[in-house]
Amino acid sequence: MAVRKTYLAVIGAALLLGGCSFSSEALWPTLAGEENAGTESSAEMADTSGADATTSTDVARSSQPLTSISQTGTFVGSKVENMQSELNRLKSALDDHSNELQQLRAQTVRNSQAYHGTVAAISARLQVGTTPGNPVLVQQWNTAQQELDRVNDDIAAMNSLANKVAADSTLSTFLLESVRSAYQVSGAVDEDHRQLALLEDETNRTTVLIDRLLNEISEGLARQTSYVSNERANLNALALAVKNGEIFGDALSKRVFQSQQEAPASAGASMASTSERPLVVIRFDSSSVKYEQALYNAVNRVLERRPQASFDVVAVTPNRGTPAQVALNSNKSKRNAQSVLRSLTDMGMPSGRVRVSDATSASVSANEVHVFVR
């Protein structure tokens, strides 16, 4: 009897322990379960990132050489082997060009970061104030120009790469036509046509990847060319700011571009005639006249309202004194107008949108330059 009780107690303890184990697993998942869950989550993240893969990644995945072609001993079979070799060389070249594009992009990013870091240092110094023509800022400006030249060199390298990929595109088209023409050659066996179909599909995929890579390079070239052009204008405006020891703002060409994008097509319809009242009057009654900041602010405000506006720079000479004095003052006034024109172009204003002329007036007592909006 005691033996039966002991046996039942052992069975009950085993059942109780089994129940505890089940409850524990239900409340706290095992470590193995957590690791599996983490693996599944990582797989989902990898799939998500793969959905945004670039063309270069697709090229890397499809650059494996085609090796499933077998010899059949026919004339068409030998042609298939030759075309397979050409396709594998094409895929290898495409992979190299894709890697070259990624290297160029990384290099452009580094050069652009260095350029913007130098420009930011110059702008920060100008913002707090500095001396005109500060040699430290002049040296930094020269460094920024060199760094922007490196970005321009990257564009040249990308353009060379575009030519290589264009040659790949021509070769892929020729190869695809050769594969399709091989279907018409007599003396082929069924295996030859099966391998031709495989070769045609693989060539088609490679052609699509080449076209995508070529489009990617073309879009990058357009972006980088526009970027360098805008930054050249900004550097010119920054050079004027360094010369004067005070910052003006973005290049006027940038303002013109932005305003043209935002303004309606009919925005310039009412700007046919020159305004009678000058926008800016600069009086050159001393040897050193600081007018750049006021000129920049005035022109910038006009371009915000009238993106298609052009400007007339008029050298105004006092009509007083002897003819020789008037002629001498006229020459000085013309030089002043040319200085104003250079200031506008340095600020980024396209030279084709500024006209220079001269006039005499009895109402002025010193040489002046009037800027009109037209």
Side-chain angles (χ1 to χ4, degrees):
M1 187 69 178
V3 175
R4 287 187 60 188
K5 289 181 178 180
T6 303
Y7 179 72
L8 292 174
V10 171
I11 295 176
L15 292 175
L16 183 60
L17 290 175
C20 290
S21 176
F22 175 80
S23 300
S24 174
E25 291 177 358
L27 293 176
W28 295 284
T30 62
L31 294 178
E34 290 178 356
E35 290 175 355
N36 292 336
T39 303
E40 292 176 359
S41 177
S42 300
E44 291 177 359
M45 293 177 63
D47 290 342
T48 302
S49 61
D52 298 328
T54 60
T55 301
S56 57
T57 306
D58 295 335
V59 170
R61 291 175 179 174
S62 301
S63 61
Q64 298 298 325
L66 182 63
T67 58
S68 57
I69 301 298
S70 59
Q71 296 181 356
T72 61
T74 64
F75 175 77
V76 175
S78 63
K79 290 293 183 182
V80 170
E81 292 178 21
N82 293 335
M83 289 185 288
Q84 176 194 10
S85 299
E86 291 294 331
L87 177 59
N88 288 336
R89 281 195 292 269
L90 178 61
K91 295 175 73 172
S92 177
L94 179 60
D95 187 34
D96 292 341
H97 296 157
S98 177
N99 292 334
E100 184 178 352
L101 175 60
Q102 296 308 310
Q103 293 172 2
L104 279 174
R105 282 177 168 173
Q107 181 174 310
T108 301
V109 168
R110 290 193 298 268
N111 293 334
S112 298
Q113 288 175 341
Y115 163 76
H116 283 290
T118 306
V119 169
I122 298 174
S123 300
R125 188 67 177 270
L126 289 171
Q127 184 177 356
V128 299
T130 185
T131 57
N134 188 324
V136 175
L137 297 189
V138 172
Q139 179 61 37
Q140 288 179 329
W141 188 91
N142 291 332
T143 301
Q145 188 176 40
Q146 293 171 1
E147 290 162 348
L148 189 59
D149 288 339
R150 294 190 187 99
V151 177
N152 194 55
D153 293 339
D154 295 338
I155 294 177
M158 191 176 294
N159 190 48
S160 176
L161 177 61
N163 294 332
K164 296 177 184 177
V165 179
D168 291 344
S169 178
T170 303
L171 179 58
S172 67
T173 302
F174 172 77
L175 184 60
L176 186 60
E177 292 177 354
S178 299
V179 172
R180 291 172 177 171
S181 299
Y183 283 106
Q184 310 301 324
V185 178
S186 61
V189 296
D190 292 341
E191 180 63 17
D192 290 332
H193 280 199
R194 188 193 69 80
Q195 293 182 359
L196 281 173
L198 179 63
L199 195 61
E200 182 181 9
D201 292 342
E202 195 66 21
T203 306
N204 271 321
R205 282 192 290 268
T206 305
T207 300
V208 170
L209 290 177
I210 291 174
D211 291 341
R212 288 179 182 175
L213 185 61
L214 192 58
N215 290 335
E216 196 173 343
I217 295 174
S218 299
E219 292 173 0
L221 277 172
R223 284 194 306 269
Q224 295 302 324
T225 302
S226 177
Y227 162 79
V228 170
S229 177
N230 291 335
E231 291 306 319
R232 291 287 185 199
N234 288 335
L235 264 186
N236 288 336
L238 195 62
L240 183 61
V242 170
K243 175 184 176 182
N244 292 275
E246 56 181 348
I247 194 166
F248 300 126
D250 290 333
L252 293 176
S253 59
K254 183 177 181 180
R255 169 63 63 185
V256 170
F257 175 78
Q258 291 176 342
S259 300
Q260 287 177 344
Q261 295 296 322
E262 298 169 0
S266 60
S270 61
M271 295 183 289
S273 60
T274 303
S275 59
E276 297 179 358
R277 184 176 180 179
L279 173 68
V280 178
V281 175
I282 306 171
R283 179 172 298 176
F284 290 87
D285 53 0
S286 64
S287 58
S288 178
V289 179
K290 291 188 175 182
Y291 61 87
E292 286 89 353
Q293 185 66 66
L295 178 64
Y296 175 88
N297 293 338
V299 173
N300 190 44
R301 285 195 299 268
V302 170
L303 292 176
E304 289 178 354
R305 299 192 304 269
R306 300 182 179 182
Q308 302 294 336
S310 298
F311 300 89
D312 284 329
V313 177
V314 181
V316 181
T317 307
N319 191 11
R320 298 178 182 178
T322 63
Q325 291 175 334
V326 173
L328 181 62
N329 287 333
S330 178
N331 290 334
K332 292 180 179 179
S333 186
K334 290 178 181 178
R335 287 197 296 269
N336 293 335
Q338 291 295 330
S339 298
V340 174
L341 173 63
R342 283 195 300 271
S343 297
L344 285 173
T345 54
D346 288 342
M347 294 173 187
M349 173 62 63
S351 58
R353 298 177 65 171
V354 183
R355 296 186 309 192
V356 181
S357 59
D358 63 285
T360 58
S361 175
S363 61
V364 298
S365 58
N367 290 334
E368 296 180 354
V369 174
H370 296 184
V371 180
F372 294 87
V373 182
R374 58 180 172 87

